[in-house]
């Protein structure tokens, strides 16, 4: 059954690749319209998933991640329209040159083909992936978690119906079987899938890394850090800390760790404690932290943990070098920030931190395809090969060389 579904998707991708850029944009416009028209059906199915999640004891933060509403559906439709307005990248000539023998070589951007994405509880990911793939003439295979299965089925049905007059709707393939066994099988299907992207927690990503037979890009895990330097503006520090931890804790660009320079810890931590206590954020601190504020003692494991919840680990560090060392050892290589007014400290931090996105005096919540001007993103790559950081249109393409001659032989 899985092979049959994947073969249909692989065959359908050719029909998508033959469409003009304008026709691919028409597919996207139809999807944006259909999301709004079918809002009630989508929300009805989303409520089933939310009710099941509550019955199964899913945390409030994860339920928030699962939840769709009118504003979020409108936001999805808007992001698709923004994507339509972005330039087509397929067929772009990346490089062109002529050899001494007269041969002309062009390096041209092309689709990967079929991109499979395994993700967990965020159903909006289904729409983001499908839209980005259509824009770039890639077919997509969607394997969501059981928490969002009803919502994902509704979204896939709406999207496929919206494009069926323009292209083979099998360019969007939802794997409805959410079992681990199907995931095991999916990640070995290299004859049908050209690129695999796991979007989820550390467990999912490690499983894919250990077992996949398909080229993959690691994304999603976000053990992100905020470092308050000794020369920080403490008002900015508090503002950024609140936003990066509290605004939406269930997403991968929220901070999980706060490092505070020991020279300003006694000035900053009481203010942080007051604000976080009022926001019901649980704090877990190192030995020095618990002497300055009332909080639970952090374990070493806490500093490696992506909580996706209203929890943060706090560590007092001995200067910039100590902070950089700690982050590079504990981070998932996603997003890290320094708060400082010192230019040398800022430059050193941004140069020496080994993560995809490094910030100065701004919230890590900006690590997002939309915020970067990409329209949307298929994931946040935390590796270094091919793509790094938010993956927009160019990052989900490959390239080929086209060579033009007039009879040259070697």
């Amino acid at each position: 059954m899985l092979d049959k579904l994947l073969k249909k998707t692989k065959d359908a991708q050719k029909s998508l690749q033959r469409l003009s850029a304008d026709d691919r944009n028409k597919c996207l416009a139809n999807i944006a319209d259909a999301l709004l028209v079918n809002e009630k059906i989508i929300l009805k199915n989303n409520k089933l998933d939310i009710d099941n999640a509550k019955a199964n004891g899913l945390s409030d933060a994860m339920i928030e991640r699962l939840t769709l509403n009118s504003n979020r559906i409108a936001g999805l439709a808007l992001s698709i329209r923004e994507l339509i307005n972005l330039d087509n990248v397929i067929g772009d000539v990346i490089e062109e040159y002529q050899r001494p023998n007269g041969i002309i070589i062009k390096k041209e951007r092309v689709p990967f083909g079929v991109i499979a994405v395994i993700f967990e509880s965020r159903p909006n990911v289904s729409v983001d992936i499908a839209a980005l793939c259509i824009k770039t003439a890639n077919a997509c295979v969607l394997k969501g978690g059981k928490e969002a299965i009803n919502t994902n089925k509704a979204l896939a049905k709406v999207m496929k119906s919206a494009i069926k007059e323009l292209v083979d709707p099998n360019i969007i393939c939802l794997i409805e079987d959410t079992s681990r066994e199907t995931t095991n099988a999916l990640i070995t299907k290299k004859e049908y899938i050209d690129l695999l992207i796991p979007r989820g927690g550390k467990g999912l990503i490690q499983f894919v890394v250990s077992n996949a037979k398909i080229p993959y890009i690691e994304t999603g895990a976000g053990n992100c850090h905020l470092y308050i330097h000794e020369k920080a503006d403490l008002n900015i520090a508090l503002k950024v800390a609140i936003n990066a931890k509290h605004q939406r804790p269930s997403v991968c660009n929220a901070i999980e760790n706060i490092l505070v320079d020991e020279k300003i810890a006694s000035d900053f931590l009481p203010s942080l404690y007051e604000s976080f206590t009022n926001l019901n954020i649980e704090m877990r601190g190192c030995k020095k932290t618990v002497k300055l504020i009332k909080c639970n003692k952090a374990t070493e494991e806490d500093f490696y943990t992506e909580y996706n919840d209203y929890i943060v680990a706090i560590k007092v560090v001995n200067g910039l070098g100590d902070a950089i060392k700690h982050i590079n050892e504990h981070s998932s290589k996603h997003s890290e920030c320094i708060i400082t007014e010192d230019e040398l400290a800022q430059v050193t931090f941004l140069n020496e931190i080994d993560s995809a996105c490094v910030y100065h005096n701004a919230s890590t919540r900006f690590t997002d395809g939309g915020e970067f001007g990409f329209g949307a993103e298929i994931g946040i790559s935390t590796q270094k090969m091919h793509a790094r950081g938010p993956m927009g249109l160019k990052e989900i393409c490959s390239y080929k060389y086209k060579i033009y001659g007039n009879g040259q032989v070697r």
Side-chain angles (χ1 to χ4, degrees):
M1 180 64 177
L2 181 60
D3 282 33
K4 187 176 179 180
L5 280 174
L6 296 179
K7 186 177 186 307
K8 284 183 178 180
T9 304
K10 188 174 181 67
D11 292 342
Q13 190 270 333
K14 300 302 181 186
S15 72
L16 178 61
Q17 193 167 349
R18 286 190 288 267
L19 286 188
S20 67
D22 286 343
D23 283 340
R24 294 199 300 274
N25 282 337
K26 286 179 185 176
C27 290
L28 295 177
N30 287 356
I31 289 175
D33 290 340
L35 289 173
L36 299 177
V37 170
N38 292 280
E39 177 186 309
K40 288 184 179 179
I41 294 171
I42 295 167
L43 293 182
K44 180 180 178 181
N45 282 276
N46 187 240
K47 186 177 185 303
L48 291 176
D49 288 329
I50 293 168
D51 289 345
N52 289 336
K54 289 178 178 177
N56 291 324
L58 209 65
S59 70
D60 289 344
M62 296 307 290
I63 289 173
E64 187 277 337
R65 195 173 188 172
L66 173 64
T67 301
L68 291 180
N69 53 40
S70 294
N71 287 338
R72 288 187 177 175
I73 291 175
L76 285 172
L78 178 61
S79 70
I80 292 173
R81 298 196 188 284
E82 291 172 348
L83 195 59
I84 291 170
N85 291 329
L86 295 179
D87 291 340
N88 170 55
V89 298
I90 297 300
D92 280 356
V93 177
I94 302 167
E95 187 178 359
E96 179 179 351
Y97 54 95
Q98 186 170 14
R99 298 293 295 148
N101 62 6
I103 282 177
I104 296 171
I105 300 176
K106 292 184 180 181
K107 184 179 181 181
E108 188 173 298
R109 191 169 281 116
V110 298
F112 264 103
V114 178
I115 298 177
V117 183
I118 305 173
F119 56 102
E120 294 176 339
S121 61
R122 292 173 62 191
N124 60 294
V125 169
S126 296
V127 178
D128 289 342
I129 293 165
L132 283 162
C133 285
I134 290 171
K135 181 77 174 183
T136 52
N138 289 293
C140 64
V141 176
L142 307 170
K143 174 75 167 63
K146 63 183 179 180
E147 299 86 359
I149 185 58
N150 293 296
T151 313
N152 285 332
K153 285 165 70 173
L155 288 170
K157 184 176 181 181
V158 167
M159 291 191 290
K160 293 176 78 165
S161 179
I163 61 175
K164 65 183 181 182
E165 301 300 326
L166 292 165
V167 70
D168 184 341
N170 288 305
I171 60 167
I172 300 172
C173 173
L174 175 69
I175 306 297
E176 296 185 8
D177 182 351
T178 62
S179 69
R180 183 70 171 263
E181 291 73 23
T182 299
T183 301
N184 293 349
L186 179 66
I187 64 176
T188 68
K189 300 296 182 180
K190 59 183 179 181
E191 65 269 40
Y192 301 115
I193 298 169
D194 298 288
L195 178 67
L196 176 65
I197 302 175
R199 285 188 55 163
K202 185 164 68 173
L204 170 63
I205 292 168
Q206 287 181 343
F207 176 77
V208 168
V209 169
S210 299
N211 297 282
K213 306 296 185 188
I214 306 165
Y216 59 83
I217 295 177
E218 295 180 48
T219 73
N223 184 23
C224 303
H225 294 73
L226 175 66
Y227 169 48
I228 316 301
H229 182 249
E230 63 175 288
K231 294 183 179 178
D233 180 320
L234 298 188
N235 290 323
I236 291 177
L238 187 60
K239 179 181 177 182
V240 170
I242 291 170
N243 177 260
K245 179 70 258 184
H246 183 262
Q247 194 248 354
R248 200 173 180 195
S250 63
V251 292
C252 61
N253 56 22
I255 58 169
E256 308 293 7
N257 291 266
I258 297 176
L259 308 182
V260 184
D261 193 284
E262 62 184 3
K263 291 182 180 178
I264 50 93
S266 60
D267 294 324
F268 179 71
L269 284 176
S271 298
L272 182 75
Y273 174 81
E274 182 180 358
S275 295
F276 274 21
T277 300
N278 290 336
L279 294 169
N280 294 316
I281 297 171
E282 179 186 339
M283 290 160 277
R284 301 176 184 179
C286 68
K287 287 181 181 179
K288 293 180 180 179
T289 300
V290 298
K291 290 179 180 179
L292 294 170
I293 59 173
K294 184 180 179 181
C295 67
N296 295 322
K297 179 76 183 300
T299 65
E300 179 62 15
E301 183 61 27
D302 282 317
F303 293 109
Y304 286 100
T305 301
E306 182 183 15
Y307 296 108
N308 294 130
D309 206 344
Y310 294 102
I311 305 170
V312 66
I314 302 170
K315 183 178 177 66
V316 175
V317 293
N318 181 23
L320 177 63
D322 192 19
I324 291 172
K325 183 175 184 291
H326 177 93
I327 293 171
N328 284 336
E329 288 179 357
H330 295 79
S331 168
S332 61
K333 315 302 182 188
H334 193 295
S335 299
E336 330 296 344
C337 173
I338 182 173
I339 306 296
T340 187
E341 298 301 303
D342 183 87
E343 184 176 357
L344 179 59
Q346 173 251 118
V347 170
T348 302
F349 184 91
L350 269 57
N351 285 342
E352 295 188 12
I353 290 294
D354 187 23
S355 294
C357 299
V358 285
Y359 288 81
H360 172 231
N361 288 359
S363 173
T364 57
R365 287 284 288 113
F366 287 104
T367 302
D368 175 85
E371 294 294 337
F372 275 33
F374 299 165
E377 107 239 337
I378 206 164
I380 310 290
S381 171
T382 55
Q383 66 182 46
K384 299 178 183 179
M385 292 293 288
H386 167 63
R388 200 175 195 193
M391 296 174 59
L393 299 177
K394 293 179 181 178
E395 288 75 23
I396 56 171
C397 296
S398 184
Y399 57 82
K400 68 166 64 171
Y401 288 96
K402 293 184 176 180
I403 301 94
Y404 303 85
N406 58 0
Q408 289 90 337
V409 295
R410 181 176 178 183

